[in-house]
Amino acid sequence: MDVNTAIVEVVRTEWPRLMAALVRDLGDLGRAEDAAQEAIEVALANWPTDGIPDRPGAWILTVARRRAIDKLRRDQNRLQKSELLARLEQRTTPETELDFDSPESLLGDEQLQLIFACCHPSLNTESQTALTLRCITGLSTREIARAFLTPEPTMAQRLVRAKRKIESAGIPLRVPPDSDLLDRLAVVHGVIYLLFTEGHTRSESDLLTGVDLCDEAIRLGRLLTRLVNDSSETFGLAALMLLSHARRAARTDDAGDLVLLEDQDRTRWDHAMIAEGQALLARALRFADPGPYQLQAAINALHAEAARAGDTDWRQIALLYSRLLRHQPTPVVQLNHAVAVAMTDGPEAGLALLDGLAEPLAGYRYFDSTQADLLRRAGRTEEAATAYERALQHCDNAAEQRFLTRRLESVSHPSPDP
Amino acid sequence: MKYACLIYDDESTGPTDPTSPEFAEMIAGYMAFGEKYESVIQGGEALDSVSTSTCVKVRDGKMTTTDGPFAETKEQLGGFYIIEADDLDTACQIASEIPGAYTGQVEVRPVPNYG
C-alpha cells in the first residue's frame, strides 16, 4: 500500500467518529462537514511529506476544531456563536485531545445519532443514501455523484437540501427511543442494503467510477455492528453483504463475462471475508430471531460452505427461502425459492413454482433467464430458446448479454452433451 | 420549535351531520387530543369544507376570485394545529395522536422563526 492509499484509508476510517465529534461540538451538520473537509485537506497536503501522525484521528480533529474556531471568529455576530466558541476553545485543551484515543471516546452514541439523522424517514431515499455516504463513510460529493451516475452539481444540491431539511425541520440528532428503535434501525438497514445492491449491479457492469458502493455499504454495515449490539438483523445485514461480496472476483471471468454460481472458481472467493461473514451470522443467530437479512445471509453461507457446486445443500437453501417467503412474500423471493426447489426436486418442480410469476415479473430479466435455464435443463429446448430471447430483450448489462447469447446459441444449435 | 400540523382527510367519507353519534365521537377525539396536549398547542382551527372555499389572486394589480380548491385531490385540508415541540420526532409523535391521522394524514411542517 503506498502512502497515499494509506492516508486515504486512515482518513476514511476516522471520518465517522470525526464527524460525530464535530457535530456534537458544533451542533450543525453543515458546519461540521466543512470543518472536517478542511482538516482532511490539510492532512492530505501534509502527511505525504511529514508522515502519518501517531494519533491521526486526534490530529485531524484538532485541525478541524481550529478551523471551525477561525470560521466562527470571522463570523461572530450572534450570542449563540460566542457560546459555541467558548465551548469549542475548551475542547482544544490537550486533555480532551487525549480523550479522542481512549476506548471511552469511541463516540458510539454520537456516531449512531448521526446515522439515524442521515437515515431519517422524513428524508427521501436519494437524500438518505447521499447523506449517509457523505457524513458517515466520508465520500466526497464528486465521488457520490460518480457512484450514482449523477452530475456533480445535482448531487451537491441534493446534499445541501438534505442538510437544510435536517436543520430547518428539526430532525433530531439523537438515538430514537426504544419504542421506535427497531423501526428506525430497519430504515438504516434499508439504506445500507440499497447502497449494496446498487453497487452490486454497477460492479457487474462497466466499473469506471472508481467508487465501489458495495465497499461503502460493507464499511457502513461493519460500523453499525460495532455501534449496535442488540439487533440480530444488524449482524445479519453485515453478514449477508460480506458473504455475497466474497464471491465478487469469481463472478466474472477474464473477459468480464458473467460466471454463474455453479461454474465459479471457488478458490477465487475471498475466504477471509467469508469467515468474517460467518462469524457475524453466528452472532446474529444467537438472538434466535432470524429476520430477512439473516435468512439471506444463511443462504449465502450455505453456498460459501460448499467446496464444490455439487456439494451445495440445496434442500436447506430451499427451506430458508420458504422461511424468507414468510417475511417477504414477493415474486422475486418466490423465483429464488423455485430455483432452489429445482435443484433438489428437478427442473419441472421448479418450473411449476414459476406459474403465476410471469405477469408480476414481466420485464424482470432474471425471471426470463431463470425460466429459460430450467426449460433448458428439462430438455424443452424450443421453449428455452424463446425464453432466452425474452431475457435478452430486457438485459442492458453487457456481460449478461454475452452470457445469455451463448446460452441461446447452445439451445438453438445443441452440441452433443458434454 | 414550532410546527404546523395540517390535517388532510377525504371530506366525502367523514361524518358531516353534527347531530350524528359519529360526529360526536370525532369531536370527542379532538377534545381529548386538545386536553392532552393543551400545554404545547398554540393554536388551531377546523376548516369548513373545500366547497365553501374561495381563492384570491392579484395579477397586474387586478384581483380575481375563483372558487377553490385549485387542485383536485382525494384528501382536503380540513383543519390544523400549531404546536411547540423540541424536534421533528416529538412533533410527529404528537401528530400521530390527532384523530385525523387515523383516517387521513397529517402533514407536519416547521414554522420558521425569522425573528
Side-chain angles (χ1 to χ4, degrees), chain A residues 219-241:
Chain A
R219 185 187 287 277
L220 284 162
R222 282 183 178 134
L223 174 67
L224 205 60
T225 61
R226 290 197 294 273
L227 299 176
V228 180
N229 45 33
D230 52 0
S231 153
S232 61
E233 282 289 82
T234 298
F235 293 108
L237 171 63
L240 167 60
M241 295 191 295

Side-chain angles (χ1 to χ4, degrees), chain A residues 291-333:
Chain A
Y293 291 118
Q294 290 164 78
L295 290 167
Q296 292 173 82
I299 290 165
N300 278 279
L302 286 171
H303 285 304
E305 281 154 17
R308 289 165 306 177
D311 299 340
T312 310
D313 187 350
W314 284 105
R315 198 160 296 281
Q316 186 69 18
I317 289 174
L319 201 70
L320 287 166
Y321 271 121
S322 66
R323 294 272 309 260
L324 185 59
L325 270 173
R326 275 186 243 158
H327 293 273
Q328 298 177 343
T330 66
V332 172
V333 178

Side-chain angles (χ1 to χ4, degrees), chain A residues 251-325:
Chain A
R251 244 180 230 131
T252 45
D253 61 19
D254 294 339
D257 280 2
L258 189 70
V259 183
L260 285 189
L261 185 55
E262 60 191 87
D263 302 325
Q264 285 175 13
D265 175 0
R266 295 180 180 227
T267 60
R268 291 180 70 194
W269 290 357
D270 185 332
H271 292 278
M273 203 178 263
I274 289 173
E276 189 188 349
Q278 284 168 322
L280 285 168
L281 179 60
R283 275 188 82 175
L285 294 176
R286 259 182 255 154
F287 289 87
D289 172 31
Y293 291 118
Q294 290 164 78
L295 290 167
Q296 292 173 82
I299 290 165
N300 278 279
L302 286 171
H303 285 304
E305 281 154 17
R308 289 165 306 177
D311 299 340
T312 310
D313 187 350
W314 284 105
R315 198 160 296 281
Q316 186 69 18
I317 289 174
L319 201 70
L320 287 166
Y321 271 121
S322 66
R323 294 272 309 260
L324 185 59
L325 270 173

